[in-house]
Amino acid sequence: MVIDAIDREILRKLQDDGRMTATALAAEVGLTVAPCHRRLKDLEADGVISGYRAVIDPASVGLGFEAIVFVTLAQVDRATLDKFEALVSANVHITSAQRLFGDPDYILKVMAEDLSAYQQFFDNALTVLPGVQRVSSTLVMKNLKPGSGLPL
C-alpha cells in the first residue's frame, strides 16, 4: 500500500484523537465521509492502523512508579530467546520491550505501584527470566513525553 499525504493526515489526526468520528475526520482532512471512511478501512485492512486503545494516566490507577530495565543474557540461543521473549511479552507489568544490538540485549519499561512493589517484581520476576546474566535498572524521575505518536 502506498501512503499518500491524505493518508498521513488521517493517521496524524487519529494519533491525536483515536475516537474521532469518520465525519469529523473527513472534515479535518478535506474529504467527504465516504472516501475518508474507505481510506480508513484500507489503512486498517492493510495493517497500517493496527488497533485503537485508551491512553490511561498510570498514577490514576495506582501505577505511579516507572523503571527502565536493562537486561543482558548469558546465553542467546534461539530456545532461550524465545522463552525470554514470551515471558516478557506476557507480563503485564512490562509495558514496553525492545531487543537491542550490542549490550544490553534488551531494554524494558516496567510499571509498578511503588518502589517496594518494583523491588519484589525485580527479585521475583526479572531476575528469574530464562538466560538472564545481568539486570540493571534506572528509575524514571519524570516522564516528559509518554507514548507520543509517530512523526508522520
Side-chain angles (χ1 to χ4, degrees):
M1 171 179 202
V2 176
I3 305 292
D4 65 12
I6 294 172
D7 290 334
R8 286 185 185 281
E9 188 62 20
I10 288 170
L11 295 170
R12 270 193 290 275
K13 297 295 180 185
L14 287 175
Q15 280 189 146
D16 291 339
D17 182 3
R19 294 184 64 174
M20 184 178 280
T21 66
T23 304
L25 183 59
E28 288 280 331
V29 300
L31 293 174
T32 58
V33 175
C36 182
H37 190 261
R38 180 183 44 77
R39 283 176 177 261
L40 184 56
K41 290 300 173 195
D42 288 346
L43 291 166
E44 291 170 349
D46 290 340
V48 176
I49 298 174
S50 59
Y52 299 89
R53 65 176 47 116
V55 178
I56 299 166
D57 174 50
S60 296
V61 293
L63 295 169
F65 188 87
E66 183 177 341
I68 306 300
V69 180
F70 306 96
V71 179
T72 301
L73 300 182
Q75 28 187 25
V76 289
D77 59 276
R78 175 54 42 207
T80 302
L81 292 175
D82 289 346
K83 282 188 221 171
F84 176 88
E85 290 180 4
L87 289 170
V88 164
S89 295
N91 193 303
V92 297
H93 290 279
I94 301 171
T95 60
S96 174
Q98 288 82 32
R99 183 174 176 198
L100 308 173
F101 282 107
D103 187 36
D105 295 308
Y106 291 89
I107 185 169
L108 314 175
K109 180 174 130 182
V110 175
M111 301 298 297
E113 296 166 357
D114 55 25
L115 179 59
S116 177
Y118 176 69
Q119 179 263 313
Q120 289 177 14
F121 180 78
F122 184 96
D123 292 345
N124 300 322
L126 290 175
T127 60
V128 299
L129 287 168
V132 169
Q133 175 183 1
R134 185 174 60 249
V135 179
S136 65
S137 303
T138 187
L139 308 181
V140 176
M141 182 187 310
K142 181 179 180 182
N143 199 331
L144 302 176
K145 194 174 181 181
S148 64
L150 298 174
L152 299 172

